[in-house]
Amino acid sequence: MRKAKSNYIWDYFKDIDTLRKNRLSALKDCAKDMRESSDRYVPVTLPSLPFKDGEFDILLSAHFLFMYADRLDYQFHIKTLNELLRVTKEEIRIFPLVDLEGKRYEHLDKLISYLADNNGCTVEEVKVPYEFQANANSMLKIRKG
């Protein structure tokens, strides 16, 4: 983190130590919840999901899809989005729209066109008030048609 410190905005987290403490606390809370409520967690491997069509009203994909664009190609994103659309009744939100270096996902416009043209979705890029990683202040809001 010290090497990449300049890629982040230090308003919410004041410094690396504060970030570390916050993340460790969140990790402990998550691990505790997973132990106490393991039935609420379903391990999956995208792009396949073991859920019924339209099982969820809204779906959030946070800090995954476009963050690892250097390892997950465009076809993976298409297959994953099709699967997310299948299990969602109304809306999908994806945050952020940048990779680990803070660059906007290079195929985002093509992906938006695909969703609108082939799936009848309404897609908008929405600014959000939270920005820790530089340039990571937008989400994709996909509404099913």
Side-chain angles (χ1 to χ4, degrees):
M1 192 64 183
R2 295 197 194 289
K3 290 179 184 177
K5 186 177 179 181
S6 64
N7 293 342
Y8 295 86
I9 297 168
W10 297 94
D11 293 339
Y12 184 80
F13 300 107
K14 298 302 177 197
D15 54 36
I16 292 173
D17 289 334
T18 303
L19 171 66
R20 182 179 177 277
K21 287 176 189 170
N22 185 280
R23 296 270 169 94
L24 281 174
S25 176
L27 180 62
K28 287 176 187 175
D29 289 347
C30 181
K32 180 180 179 223
D33 192 65
M34 289 177 88
R35 278 191 307 275
E36 293 173 358
S37 306
S38 62
D39 56 315
R40 295 190 313 182
Y41 294 86
V42 179
V44 301
T45 303
L46 287 170
S48 298
L49 295 172
F51 306 113
K52 296 179 277 187
D53 293 359
E55 189 163 342
F56 304 99
D57 293 328
I58 188 169
L59 191 144
L60 172 66
S61 174
H63 298 280
F64 174 67
L65 271 182
F66 306 133
M67 296 290 297
Y68 302 97
D70 61 330
R71 296 163 224 174
L72 305 170
D73 65 13
Y74 179 74
Q75 281 308 98
F76 174 85
H77 288 111
I78 291 291
K79 288 177 185 175
T80 297
L81 283 167
N82 284 334
E83 186 70 349
L84 297 179
L85 285 167
R86 181 186 68 76
V87 301
T88 306
K89 284 182 206 165
E90 299 173 24
E91 184 174 295
I92 298 168
R93 295 181 182 191
I94 301 171
F95 175 85
L97 307 180
V98 297
D99 63 18
L100 290 169
E101 294 178 0
K103 296 178 192 157
R104 186 176 190 268
Y105 175 55
E106 68 176 313
H107 302 295
L108 191 58
D109 292 329
K110 187 165 111 174
L111 199 65
I112 290 170
S113 292
Y114 169 81
L115 290 165
D117 298 342
N118 296 341
N119 291 291
C121 296
T122 301
V123 185
E124 63 180 313
E125 206 171 319
V126 179
K127 290 282 184 198
V128 299
Y130 176 79
E131 182 179 15
F132 176 48
Q133 181 187 12
N135 303 316
N137 61 348
S138 294
M139 75 169 164
L140 203 61
K141 191 183 283 191
I142 305 163
R143 287 192 193 95
K144 291 181 80 169

